[in-house]
Amino acid sequence: MIISRRRALTLPLLASAWSAAPAWAREAGRGSRLQYTGNPLRLPMGVCDPQIRIFDDVAWLYATHDASPTSRTFTMKDWQIWRSDNLVNWSHEGTLRPEQTYFGKPSDHCWATDAIRRNGKYYLYFSMGPENIGVVVSDAPAGPWRDPLGKALIAKGQVPTETRDPGILQEADGTSYIVFGTYDFYIARLSEDMISLAETPRRITIADPEGPYRLGKTDDKPFLHRRGKYYYLSWGTYYGIGTSPYGPFQCKGPLLLPENVEPSFLNDNSMRGRYAPPPGFKPKNWLNFDRHGSFFKWRGRWFFACNDQSQEGTTPLFRQSVIFNVHYLRDGRIAPLKLMANGVISPKKSG
């Protein structure tokens, strides 16, 4: 088992330590009126790459959708939109199919997505496999959607990395940025119309990069969020901190460490792969492998949601979604995440 270079525990020691777990881990076993989300989230298997946005005090989850546990390669035929008032119970509110976009026909490559609201409209940015990023617009968070461009927003060859996995950062004044790429990440400010770029994409500099494969190499699915004066660029459960959305960012390493993970999430599938990984994927850190996800703030608390492939019935090609509490330290760093079967406490409405 290969784990974080910062700490290392054997599974027997970890299991022993869990029997004397701290209060944050034991609280799930006590009788309580608090409502927990559960982990994985109470969504059908295959709903993954979770991007959660809060619109009018409602959580909207924009997700990809692994088609089958028997898939031999990434097979994702649509994008799904789910709604929740409490992060506990979710309802399926909409589906976007590639036929409804500029692509105009079915596809098995409906890859990672994100969505944002501006000027009363909702914009969903999506990957057509590793080659193009498109955008659709709607008057409602779950559609119906229309493709305003009839072509890709960012096309293959526009930058020297795979054109996929968009993430959106929106400032308080509405200024919005799109970040995307694989291993090398690019950022561009979006025009006010949200369907065109206001500038040429720029490569983001990351000092001392690290990812699930090795030191010096990041991953895919970048995501940007801001808290106070700091900007956080994340790629799965690795992240860096900067003072500008353009960077540079100082990598702070992985957020998920084995000693903070309940043993039920540390089986063969999450640590070294009960199933063969997709071709070309040879991670050294299985615990932090393929953790596509997003940070979001709701009702005064920060959360992180991402992929998981540890539970019975999942594979690296048929995944689920999990959620974490997020705590920021005084120096701006993020405290290590804690992955528990009870999930997180449902955020209460204010007032």
Side-chain angles (χ1 to χ4, degrees):
M1 177 179 67
I2 299 172
I3 58 177
S4 167
R5 61 189 171 91
R6 288 174 169 78
R7 295 184 183 178
L9 292 175
T10 64
L11 285 178
L13 285 174
L14 180 58
S16 175
W18 195 264
S19 65
W24 63 260
R26 296 197 306 270
E27 65 183 1
R30 298 174 177 170
S32 174
R33 290 178 294 177
L34 298 175
Q35 192 172 24
Y36 289 85
T37 61
N39 265 331
L41 285 172
R42 298 171 188 178
L43 294 160
M45 279 191 176
V47 176
C48 56
D49 295 338
Q51 298 289 118
I52 296 179
R53 295 293 182 180
I54 307 303
F55 301 132
D56 302 322
D57 201 40
V58 173
W60 292 90
L61 187 152
Y62 297 85
T64 56
H65 178 215
D66 290 336
S68 170
T70 62
S71 295
R72 308 290 290 187
T73 186
F74 286 115
T75 305
M76 305 149 90
K77 299 178 182 293
D78 56 36
W79 299 273
Q80 295 189 354
I81 302 103
W82 294 75
R83 179 189 191 277
S84 179
D85 296 312
N86 54 13
L87 300 181
V88 178
N89 304 307
W90 295 87
S91 61
H92 182 207
E93 298 293 325
T95 297
L96 174 66
R97 294 181 173 82
E99 302 96 304
Q100 299 170 269
T101 75
Y102 75 88
F103 197 69
K105 57 185 177 181
S107 173
D108 290 342
H109 295 95
C110 299
W111 288 12
T113 184
D114 197 3
I116 205 70
R117 177 172 66 183
R118 191 175 187 189
N119 299 327
K121 301 285 186 181
Y122 298 83
Y123 300 87
L124 192 157
Y125 302 84
F126 58 90
S127 303
M128 283 307 308
E131 297 188 350
N132 296 289
I133 293 172
V135 58
V136 290
V137 62
S138 175
D139 294 324
W145 305 96
R146 64 178 181 86
D147 191 317
L149 297 178
K151 62 180 181 179
L153 170 63
I154 307 174
K156 180 180 179 180
Q158 200 163 332
V159 295
T161 185
E162 291 184 342
T163 308
R164 64 178 173 102
D165 295 351
I168 305 299
L169 168 71
Q170 188 172 76
E171 301 279 29
D173 65 358
T175 302
S176 301
Y177 303 86
I178 186 167
V179 60
F180 62 96
T182 304
Y183 306 131
D184 286 328
F185 304 139
Y186 283 77
I187 183 172
R189 181 167 55 86
L190 289 162
S191 301
E192 189 169 348
D193 64 14
M194 301 297 284
I195 60 171
S196 61
L197 302 184
E199 60 188 1
T200 301
R202 312 183 198 179
R203 183 176 176 273
I204 298 174
T205 300
I206 303 171
D208 305 315
E210 180 180 351
Y213 302 98
R214 59 175 171 82
L215 296 177
K217 187 175 186 178
T218 59
D219 201 357
D220 52 5
K221 194 60 185 81
F223 185 77
L224 267 173
H225 74 282
R226 181 181 182 179
R227 181 178 181 270
K229 66 179 181 179
Y230 293 119
Y231 292 84
Y232 296 81
L233 175 66
S234 53
W235 48 99
T237 44
Y238 292 82
Y239 78 109
I241 299 178
T243 56
S244 165
Y246 297 101
F249 291 88
Q250 175 63 54
C251 179
K252 298 298 181 180
L255 284 164
L256 198 56
L257 307 174
E259 56 265 43
N260 290 335
V261 178
E262 190 170 334
S264 63
F265 290 91
L266 289 177
N267 63 22
D268 285 347
N269 217 25
S270 63
M271 298 306 291
R272 61 180 177 81
R274 185 171 59 215
Y275 301 87
F281 288 81
K282 296 180 180 179
K284 295 182 179 298
N285 188 328
W286 280 96
L287 180 60
N288 289 280
F289 169 60
D290 190 28
R291 293 286 184 180
H292 291 190
S294 60
F295 290 83
F296 64 100
K297 186 179 182 182
W298 195 23
R299 298 172 182 170
R301 294 166 53 195
W302 281 93
F303 302 92
F304 176 71
C306 71
N307 287 344
D308 186 78
Q309 52 172 288
S310 67
Q311 302 303 295
E312 189 66 32
T314 64
T315 79
L317 302 169
F318 191 68
R319 299 156 293 175
Q320 293 178 291
S321 297
V322 291
I323 193 166
F324 306 79
N325 287 306
V326 176
H327 300 287
Y328 296 86
L329 304 177
R330 289 186 177 182
D331 63 2
R333 290 179 298 121
I334 301 174
L337 301 174
K338 297 171 182 178
L339 178 54
M340 300 175 292
N342 63 307
V344 303
I345 297 172
S346 172
K348 294 181 179 180
K349 289 184 178 181
S350 60

